Amino acid sequence: MNPKILIIGACGQIGSELTQKLRAIHGADNVIASDINYGNLDVVNSGLFEILDAQDYSSMKICVEKYNIDTIYLMAAMLSATGEKYPMKAWDLNMDSLFNVLNLAKNKIINKIFWPSSIAVFGPTTPKENTPQYTVMEPTTVYGITKQVGERWCEYYHNKYNVDVRSIRYPGIISWKTLPGGGTTDYAVDIYHKALADNHYDCFLSEHTELPMMFMDDAIEATIKIMQAPPDAIKIRSSYNLAAISFTPEHVVKSIKSHLKDFTVSYEPDFRQEIADSWPKSIDDNHARKDWNWSHHYDLEAITNEMLTNLKSLANQNS
Ligand code: AKB
């Protein structure tokens, strides 16, 4: 039987692609998209859509009961860079929304939750290379703090109230269909847009800043895989390390230059450099690979190919 799914934050970078994929798998009538505004018309027009404030428990409950929802994907959050500008707003949004869905499950109104964590749970004292699942975690951004605390609460609700909550620590996500908003890894999407539009990019991170990254299709596959796994396979109820590749801005530039040889870049690190410097360079995701059979498909060359080909053809369609 198909689950009845509610996606909160369905107009965002990951939410919008996840909505389309889940609608393709389970049928448009079984996947209700929601967001604080009509931020993505493809999502709004391709199935059922509700305006929903993730911080408002009563509205969330009304929506869940209206559609008989059993599964929630909570994709609404304020990311690392915006979170540093609005610390209290980031705390309130990220924590209120999580407690709202956890409490719906605790009160047996829904059965299952997906909640994304992030590599931002790690901090400057974490081992940077091949960061283990279990290690020192002292995040220095508000976003990272909300994700780390959120992980603790997910595990707590699972242990105390038997809530079926599942989570992965996303690295930076790269997609040609949707734009990221307010993150530190956003350069890895912007750079492709600017390469095609201007043949030049002003990068806000320094050339040797190495970060874990992943193509959107891999991220969506991981999200669906962890949710489809039998409950016993999910051994970690805080959040799983998840990895694909790691690269620096310099690596992306080289990869783009193999397609656009006149592409140029200048490096003007801003406040996001300090955030990036506090995060791991690479991640050990053995638990995800072993417990629910995770594997990635896209390396940097494949990502560059997909990004440039698809962005070019979108630009042609719109011209
Ligand atoms: C960000 O840069 O804030 C996000 C993340 C790594 O969670 N993309």
Side-chain angles (χ1 to χ4, degrees):
M1 210 179 86
N2 273 313
K4 273 273 185 188
I5 295 172
L6 173 65
I7 301 172
I8 298 173
C11 292
Q13 187 204 13
I14 304 176
S16 54
E17 297 207 27
L18 183 64
T19 301
Q20 303 297 23
K21 187 69 185 187
L22 289 171
R23 281 181 172 160
I25 296 173
H26 300 292
D29 289 351
N30 293 312
V31 180
I32 291 76
S34 73
D35 211 307
I36 191 85
N37 56 36
Y38 298 104
N40 182 318
L41 290 183
D42 290 339
V43 167
V44 174
N45 295 329
S46 62
L48 297 161
F49 184 87
E50 293 278 336
I51 292 289
L52 187 65
D53 177 354
Q55 290 178 256
D56 181 349
Y57 181 82
S58 305
S59 315
M60 205 184 272
K61 184 165 173 273
I62 289 169
C63 182
V64 161
E65 287 172 344
K66 176 173 170 190
Y67 293 103
N68 250 323
I69 299 294
D70 51 59
T71 302
I72 290 184
Y73 290 72
L74 173 57
M75 309 309 288
M78 192 179 287
L79 299 188
S80 57
T82 311
E84 291 310 287
K85 291 184 186 154
Y86 309 105
M88 287 320 297
K89 272 194 186 159
W91 173 260
D92 289 345
L93 170 62
N94 295 0
M95 298 316 300
D96 290 353
S97 57
L98 176 59
F99 277 119
N100 285 345
V101 291
L102 286 174
N103 285 328
L104 283 172
K106 178 187 166 195
N107 296 333
K108 309 275 178 248
I109 302 169
I110 57 167
N111 299 328
K112 206 168 170 183
I113 298 167
F114 176 80
W115 174 76
S117 186
S118 159
I119 55 165
V121 291
F122 300 115
T125 51
T126 302
K128 287 217 173 297
E129 309 272 355
N130 225 13
T131 302
Q133 174 71 38
Y134 301 106
T135 185
V136 179
M137 295 162 82
E138 294 184 315
T140 48
T141 61
V142 175
Y143 172 64
I145 293 169
T146 64
K147 290 299 180 187
Q148 195 201 14
V149 174
E151 288 190 7
R152 298 287 87 231
W153 278 111
C154 287
E155 192 183 84
Y156 185 89
Y157 269 66
H158 176 74
N159 291 340
K160 291 274 171 182
Y161 311 122
N162 208 16
V163 166
D164 187 355
V165 53
R166 303 167 184 214
S167 176
I168 50 192
R169 293 172 178 154
Y170 286 130
I173 307 294
I174 301 163
S175 160
W176 56 271
K177 289 186 195 151
T178 46
L179 287 170
T184 302
T185 57
D186 296 10
Y187 92 86
V189 178
D190 294 345
I191 196 166
Y192 290 102
H193 286 264
K194 295 283 174 5
L196 288 170
D198 306 333
N199 228 355
H200 179 80
Y201 183 60
D202 293 322
C203 188
F204 59 76
L205 296 183
S206 71
E207 59 194 305
H208 301 306
T209 311
E210 185 173 0
L211 289 170
M213 297 280 183
M214 182 177 287
F215 193 51
M216 179 67 87
D217 295 33
D218 278 337
I220 299 291
E221 191 184 321
T223 308
I224 287 168
K225 231 176 174 152
I226 194 175
M227 287 299 273
Q228 284 178 342
D232 291 355
I234 308 301
K235 311 273 188 234
I236 295 173
R237 293 296 183 154
S238 51
S239 190
Y240 277 90
N241 272 8
L242 189 78
I245 51 171
S246 285
F247 57 70
T248 66
E250 195 181 33
H251 294 141
V252 193
V253 171
K254 193 167 165 231
S255 174
I256 293 176
K257 268 174 171 284
S258 71
H259 297 255
L260 304 169
K261 65 177 176 9
D262 297 330
F263 176 56
T264 57
V265 64
S266 58
Y267 295 98
E268 290 159 31
D270 65 13
F271 73 100
R272 288 168 281 195
Q273 184 66 46
E274 193 183 333
I275 301 176
D277 288 341
S278 77
W279 289 351
K281 292 177 192 290
S282 57
I283 299 284
D284 175 355
D285 65 352
N286 264 317
H287 287 273
R289 290 180 191 261
K290 185 165 53 76
D291 290 358
W292 41 274
N293 219 5
W294 154 245
S295 64
H296 72 279
H297 302 289
Y298 290 85
D299 62 11
L300 179 56
E301 294 326 309
I303 292 175
T304 298
N305 222 0
E306 289 283 326
M307 291 298 285
L308 293 178
T309 311
N310 287 297
L311 289 176
K312 237 187 259 171
S313 82
L314 269 187
N316 290 340
Q317 279 166 34
N318 294 333
S319 67

